[in-house]
Amino acid sequence: MSLEGKVVAITGASAGIGRACVREFAARGYDVGLIARGRDRLDAAAAEVREAGRRACVAPADVADADAVEAAAREIEETLGEIDVWVNVAMTAVLAELWDCTPEELLRVTQVTYLGSIHGIQAALRRFRPRDRGVIVQVGSALSRRGIPLQSSYCGAKHAVKGALDSLRAELIDEGSNVKVSLVQLPGHNTPQFDWVRTRLHRHPQPVPPIYQPEVAARAIAWAAEHPKRELWVGFPTVYTILGERVASGLMDRYLGRTNIKAQEAAEPIDPATRKDNLFEPPPGDPGAHGMFDDKAHGRSPQLWLATHKPLAAAAGAGAALAATQLARLARNHK
């Protein structure tokens, strides 16, 4: 299903995966509504949309504020026309053991990462259900199925998002609706989030390796918008994490407890008391889509290619199996 020339609204559009999505959707021919807190970064992202020859609408909003998200959706439709695809990317987190997270921090992460997604979904549904069309793409995480140390605030919010989507799909089925909902489950990506996430660590936070570039996520999200399916898993780490939790949850507890705190720390020392973070206010500057781990990040995911080219992958597998059978037969005949 091609949506070229249609309108996409993206939350968290000013940086990281959201910024990569802005570029990807514009390159595919979409007009883009951009929602985030930082006006300067939104304007820079909108300029990239226009450079790609598409229209852009900057609609600043804190997704934790339901009224602000609704106002942003209204502004986008007044400027660009009816929204066809809604993409929820906005998130925040506190990288610390649960006992070191304050009630105010946990509330804020829940308001942004969980309720912010719900506010976006509800704004989209107010428009999509009466029209009986539209696609909601929710950015999820392998951590919505398996929590890891230091990320209880984020993992809890992502688990909640997944549960809400399960309920929503059943409700849409009961209604006989043609609105589609797709959850894209991601591994760790090289985004500015790790430059400004609030943390108690004394070394620079990093995604759990292997790390992927945000463009990998953006391609997956755009594919899910055009080929909506219940869930799309991105990267072999996501597959291993979700399947590992299904079959060996206790073993995962022990493995992650012994390995994953160090896996989330880079070598560079930081002072968490003086470090600027994005939990309550957007930090200054425009880092774009990438964080500081370009030298470690993968620009491609073979697993994603297989997941989005299943007929070709199946045909290639069948062809390889046939070729192997024929070669074995020839070898036997020439003995």
Side-chain angles (χ1 to χ4, degrees):
M1 175 177 61
S2 174
L3 296 175
E4 184 175 352
K6 300 295 180 69
V7 177
V8 59
I10 303 172
T11 73
S14 63
I17 289 170
R19 184 69 167 268
C21 284
V22 167
R23 297 167 180 168
E24 180 69 23
F25 277 96
R28 291 178 180 234
Y30 292 71
D31 296 326
V32 185
L34 303 97
I35 303 171
R37 293 176 299 173
R39 179 79 201 209
D40 291 344
R41 284 197 292 274
L42 283 174
D43 287 337
E48 294 174 345
V49 174
R50 296 181 183 115
E51 287 170 9
R54 304 310 307 176
R55 297 181 300 154
C57 174
V58 171
D62 184 337
V63 296
D65 183 339
D67 291 339
V69 174
E70 173 59 27
R74 187 163 54 247
E75 182 177 356
I76 290 167
E77 292 213 319
E78 288 172 354
T79 304
L80 301 178
E82 293 182 353
I83 296 169
D84 299 283
V85 178
W86 187 284
V87 179
N88 275 327
V89 185
M91 55 75 65
T92 192
V94 176
L95 228 64
E97 283 90 352
L98 180 58
W99 53 78
D100 277 338
C101 296
T102 69
E104 294 77 17
E105 290 170 341
L106 292 170
L107 177 62
R108 177 62 179 168
V109 173
T110 303
Q111 287 173 329
V112 174
T113 306
Y114 172 58
L115 287 177
S117 295
I118 299 303
H119 297 156
I121 289 167
Q122 289 183 322
L125 289 172
R126 290 185 195 105
R127 291 153 177 83
F128 292 174
R129 286 178 58 241
R131 301 168 191 162
D132 198 31
R133 62 177 178 82
V135 180
I136 297 169
V137 181
Q138 175 66 50
V139 173
S141 169
L143 306 187
S144 72
R145 300 291 189 86
R146 169 68 241 185
I148 64 173
L150 299 179
Q151 298 215 36
S152 56
S153 62
Y154 176 77
C155 294
K158 285 297 188 181
H159 272 71
V161 170
K162 188 216 176 277
L165 287 190
D166 290 344
S167 297
L168 173 60
R169 288 192 197 93
E171 292 162 354
L172 291 171
I173 289 169
D174 175 70
E175 189 176 58
S177 175
N178 286 310
V179 175
K180 307 298 183 185
V181 180
S182 185
L183 177 61
V184 180
Q185 303 282 45
L186 298 179
H189 282 76
N190 173 36
T191 72
Q193 168 65 14
F194 297 90
D195 298 326
W196 57 39
V197 66
R198 180 168 292 194
T199 185
R200 308 284 190 265
L201 295 175
H202 289 270
R203 294 188 181 277
H204 197 292
Q206 70 171 16
V208 176
I211 303 168
Y212 294 85
Q213 294 289 24
E215 288 78 15
V216 175
R219 290 193 295 271
I221 291 161
W223 187 90
E226 296 179 351
H227 308 83
K229 58 183 293 185
R230 191 177 191 281
E231 283 195 29
L232 176 63
W233 298 356
V234 179
F236 285 116
T238 298
V239 176
Y240 300 152
T241 300
I242 294 174
L243 295 182
E245 172 62 15
R246 285 182 183 175
V247 301
S249 186
L251 182 62
M252 293 280 282
D253 290 341
R254 293 188 289 275
Y255 172 76
L256 294 170
R258 290 169 181 160
T259 64
N260 254 232
I261 289 181
K262 288 185 178 179
Q264 294 178 74
E265 293 180 297
E268 179 185 340
I270 60 168
D271 181 356
T274 60
R275 169 185 164 98
K276 291 187 180 296
D277 64 64
N278 73 336
L279 188 60
F280 292 99
E281 297 293 337
D286 178 27
H290 288 212
M292 62 177 283
F293 302 105
D294 278 334
D295 59 333
K296 300 179 181 178
H298 303 284
R300 300 281 173 184
S301 166
Q303 179 277 335
L304 176 62
W305 189 94
L306 291 171
T308 56
H309 295 80
K310 284 185 177 178
L312 289 176
L322 179 60
T325 301
Q326 290 174 334
L327 285 171
R329 211 175 270 157
L330 285 170
R332 284 196 301 270
N333 292 338
H334 284 81
K335 280 185 178 179

